[in-house]
Amino acid sequence: MKLVRYGKPGKEKPGLIDSDGKLRDLSGKIDDFTADQLSDRALARLAKLKTDRLPLVTGRPRLGVPVAHVGKYIAIGINYIEHAAEAKMRIPREPIVFMKAVTCLCGANDNIVLPKNSKKSDWEIELGVIIGKKAQYIGEEEALDYVAGYCVANDLSEREFQIERGTQWDKGKGCDTFGPIGPWLVTRDEIPDPQNLDVWLDVNGERMQQGNTKTMIFTVAKIVSYLSHFMTLLPGDVIATGTPPGVGLARNPQVFLKPGDVVAAGVEKLGEQRQKVVAWPGKK
């Protein structure tokens, strides 16, 4: 299933995309895609619905974050072999973990708002993972059973904030609108192998990133298991699993986002995002 939340920010309704690509309203069946709607049992109930009997949503409403009330947004750094090379970093022995503020989350096609005093805002297309049930100290062999589904994620990053202003990455990763995910959550039954998905990102129609999740250093199963040994993963938590090569920071010359740019990004079987880059309100 492809599950969505549609409508104006803060007023989203639950929906799904049917087999014909049409948006159907689920608000008569569930209140929202909250943590309790991400379990295997809850998703199985939704899968049994006759979608052609659900109300059809007309027009092209905004698509919001596909999960409500995300508790944690966890990200993995340097997780593609080629990206490690372009960043001139050694292949890590263990996953590099950092957090993105949940206030950075936004819909897949919402504007990217450059933060105040931004100089080096950059892009990072990633496979996103959405947790479906509580995970503590789980093994790698069972880790995918704890996944509700997958989504497209763009781990936007202000590189000056991230690299040149101290040793912690988080402040360059959590700016408002720096976490577009979606357009939808694709349930894990539709993605039997998350380690063979093409990922790509364009800026102004030019291909900047191209890769495949098979070149990830740490697999999705490894990441979910690993994280569960350091923190409790809860339903609705989001994990961004790392980016392939082609980020603006590593290009020669370097390229960073500016107002008016258009970013388009996608992951095979998970849909596409499209964002316009705008300046922070009031910036001269």
Side-chain angles (χ1 to χ4, degrees), residues 147-195:
V147 173
Y150 302 93
C151 64
V152 181
N154 188 350
D155 173 24
L156 289 147
S157 312
E158 213 300 341
R159 301 301 189 185
E160 190 208 20
F161 298 178
Q162 176 190 357
I163 299 170
E164 301 175 33
R165 299 181 65 177
T167 59
Q168 301 301 313
W169 289 8
D170 299 44
K171 59 180 173 283
K173 297 283 191 172
C175 306
D176 290 355
T177 75
F178 270 30
I181 64 171
W184 35 70
L185 179 162
V186 179
T187 51
R188 76 169 188 272
D189 60 294
E190 293 196 14
I191 311 295
D193 182 10
Q195 301 309 143

Side-chain angles (χ1 to χ4, degrees), residues 60-245:
R60 299 183 65 182
R62 168 187 174 270
L63 298 180
V65 177
V67 177
H69 313 306
V70 173
K72 293 190 292 295
Y73 190 0
I74 311 160
I76 305 299
I78 314 298
N79 195 34
Y80 282 73
I81 297 171
E82 302 96 329
H83 181 50
E86 71 174 1
K88 297 180 173 60
M89 295 183 69
R90 295 179 180 178
I91 293 177
R93 294 182 179 180
E94 297 189 29
I96 296 172
V97 180
F98 61 93
M99 308 294 285
K100 288 177 72 77
V102 293
T103 49
C104 81
L105 289 165
C106 63
N109 302 316
D110 291 348
N111 288 341
I112 295 169
V113 181
L114 297 179
K116 189 175 181 180
N117 301 318
S118 171
K119 297 178 182 178
K120 298 180 179 180
S121 288
D122 202 351
W123 55 83
E124 291 191 15
I125 179 61
E126 310 203 4
L127 168 64
V129 176
I130 299 176
I131 297 298
K133 61 181 178 180
K134 184 177 179 179
Q136 294 174 302
Y137 300 104
I138 61 172
E140 189 173 338
E141 69 284 352
E142 60 180 331
L144 295 186
D145 294 339
Y146 289 76
V147 173
Y150 302 93
C151 64
V152 181
N154 188 350
D155 173 24
L156 289 147
S157 312
E158 213 300 341
R159 301 301 189 185
E160 190 208 20
F161 298 178
Q162 176 190 357
I163 299 170
E164 301 175 33
R165 299 181 65 177
T167 59
Q168 301 301 313
W169 289 8
D170 299 44
K171 59 180 173 283
K173 297 283 191 172
C175 306
D176 290 355
T177 75
F178 270 30
I181 64 171
W184 35 70
L185 179 162
V186 179
T187 51
R188 76 169 188 272
D189 60 294
E190 293 196 14
I191 311 295
D193 182 10
Q195 301 309 143
N196 189 23
L197 300 172
D198 289 331
V199 295
W200 58 269
L201 182 142
D202 296 345
V203 178
N204 300 327
E206 180 181 353
R207 183 58 46 93
M208 295 293 186
Q209 290 187 274
Q210 182 77 55
N212 188 286
T213 57
K214 65 186 177 183
T215 65
M216 287 169 58
I217 298 166
F218 304 106
T219 65
V220 172
K222 173 64 176 179
I223 290 167
V224 173
S225 171
Y226 182 86
L227 290 174
S228 77
H229 286 72
F230 297 95
M231 64 190 80
T232 298
L233 301 177
L234 296 174
D237 286 349
V238 178
I239 304 169
T241 58
T243 197

